[in-house]
Amino acid sequence: MKLLVTGGAGFIGGNFMHYILNKYPKDKVICLDALTYAGNMETLADVMDNPNFTFVKGDISDRDTVFQLFEKEKPDVVVNFAAESHVDRSIEDPGLFLHTNILGTGVLMDACRKYGIQRYHQVSTDEVYGDLPLDRPDLFFTEETPLHTSSPYSASKASADLLVLAYHRTFHLPISISHCSNNYGPYHFPEKLIPLMIANALNDKPLPVYGKGENIRDWLYVEDHCSAIDLIVRKGREGEIYNIGGHNERTNLQVVKAILKELGKPESLIRFVTDRPGHDRRYAIDPTKIHNELGWEPTTRFEDGIKLTVKWYLENRTWWEHIINGEYQNYYERMYGHR
Ligand SMILES: NC(=O)c1ccc[n+]([C@@H]2O[C@H](COP(=O)([O-])OP(=O)(O)OC[C@H]3O[C@@H](n4cnc5c(N)ncnc54)[C@H](O)[C@@H]3O)[C@@H](O)[C@H]2O)c1
């Protein structure tokens, strides 16, 4: 199988790349990534020499680049991870989110229509469902939960989902969509909660926690997300949405305390800061459909995953220190500029 994976220099796409190349030694993988601030070639350093892997620097919303790539490679499957993904940034600059997340998705699907495809998979988020109240632990997001977005980020992802469903209905494009809960694990950019807290704690810097730290997220170890997407792409039904989550709900404060405990650092490092506008209260996924139809279940419990994650950040200090000091942005030119 030949896969075109967009956004593969980012957190989840990078993990997916490693997952596929390890699991399917005969598959060919092409990564298309614009290398925005969130793309990091150091994440892909150990697959760059794999003969089954090709990296292309380019923007999914650039029609010429995308069509030329399809013309040359004729991929069997497209998995679209490429996105602007940080909620706080979407509050600063919504326009960029609309451009990449909606228009970029449209360009990719237009190319799929022209060149033919076995499957176009849209990696989406549980944030399209908005949030759940903190005092109703019995409520979960199912595939039937109405879209009800809170931030420009989630609104752009929900818009893209609707476009993907429209291309299925109107043009019979063989699509699938997944809505996953919050991921954590290796190669997570240190602006996001878990890696930010690990990096700050290791440097004995204050750990900023929004509001009172009561917001609840349903945390999934990133490799479990990769295995779910792999199953959906290969065995999931065309035209379907699958929710992915592992029933690992934790308040932000519980997550931060677990990290401090793992690192042997004091809770006095925690600083409560002004809450984000429109901050979603609780996300919680009902993964019954993907479990019943495809037999998927997560293999890493939160207690184990957080240990693995902290260990990874301890063992890969250079990776995240290069992000914090900005050096990772020169890495592509230094290593691959002449290739
Ligand atoms: N992180 C999570 O917890 C989570 C949970 C559910 C769903 N998702 C979704 O998964 C996908 C990946 O998330 P992530 O956390 O890995 O994101 P990320 O921000 O770490 O990575 C995004 C990648 O996309 C690339 N990119 C951005 N704009 C591009 C463009 N116009 N053309 C080509 N490449 C572009 C970036 O360079 C980067 O490599 C996103 O679509 C996101 O909505 C993320």
Side-chain angles (χ1 to χ4, degrees), residues 9-12 33-34 36 39 59-60 81 83 85 124 153 157 180 183:
F11 165 45
I12 308 175
D33 196 299
T36 68
D59 188 328
I60 57 163
F81 289 96
S85 70
S124 189
Y153 163 66
K157 294 296 289 185
C180 189
N183 283 213

Side-chain angles (χ1 to χ4, degrees), residues 182-297:
N182 282 54
N183 283 213
Y184 68 105
Y187 302 114
H188 204 179
F189 199 80
E191 67 179 348
K192 303 284 173 89
L193 181 79
I194 290 183
L196 178 74
M197 298 301 158
I198 296 174
N200 280 16
L202 280 171
N203 291 323
D204 294 310
K205 283 169 61 176
L207 273 51
V209 174
Y210 282 136
K212 293 183 187 155
E214 287 170 341
N215 303 59
I216 294 175
R217 299 291 178 262
D218 187 355
W219 291 98
L220 188 72
Y221 194 60
V222 62
E223 200 175 281
D224 284 324
H225 189 186
C226 295
S227 71
I229 293 174
D230 179 35
L231 260 180
I232 296 169
V233 164
R234 286 166 207 263
K235 300 195 175 132
R237 283 185 295 141
E238 200 180 297
E240 291 292 317
I241 296 172
Y242 293 91
N243 283 1
I244 310 170
H247 287 302
N248 279 306
E249 287 179 55
R250 296 288 184 286
T251 66
N252 287 348
L253 195 56
Q254 283 173 325
V255 170
V256 173
K257 286 185 175 175
I259 292 168
L260 288 170
K261 187 164 169 238
E262 200 50 38
L263 288 170
K265 297 284 182 178
E267 292 186 5
S268 57
L269 285 174
I270 297 173
R271 295 277 185 291
F272 295 104
V273 300
T274 313
D275 211 349
R276 162 196 286 163
H279 202 177
D280 283 340
R281 293 162 296 176
R282 171 175 170 253
Y283 303 141
I285 285 274
D286 175 355
T288 307
K289 178 173 171 180
I290 188 167
H291 177 70
N292 288 351
E293 272 191 26
L294 303 177
W296 175 85
E297 50 188 35

Side-chain angles (χ1 to χ4, degrees), residues 76-78 117-121 174-176 232-233 236-238:
D76 304 308
V77 165
V78 173
I117 197 85
Q118 283 172 26
R119 178 63 61 87
Y120 171 87
H121 183 76
I175 62 91
S176 46
I232 296 169
V233 164
R237 283 185 295 141
E238 200 180 297

Side-chain angles (χ1 to χ4, degrees), residues 17-28:
M17 215 68 78
H18 288 105
Y19 182 88
I20 294 292
L21 289 165
N22 280 336
K23 186 168 175 190
Y24 304 101
K26 290 193 179 143
D27 279 7
K28 299 244 180 281

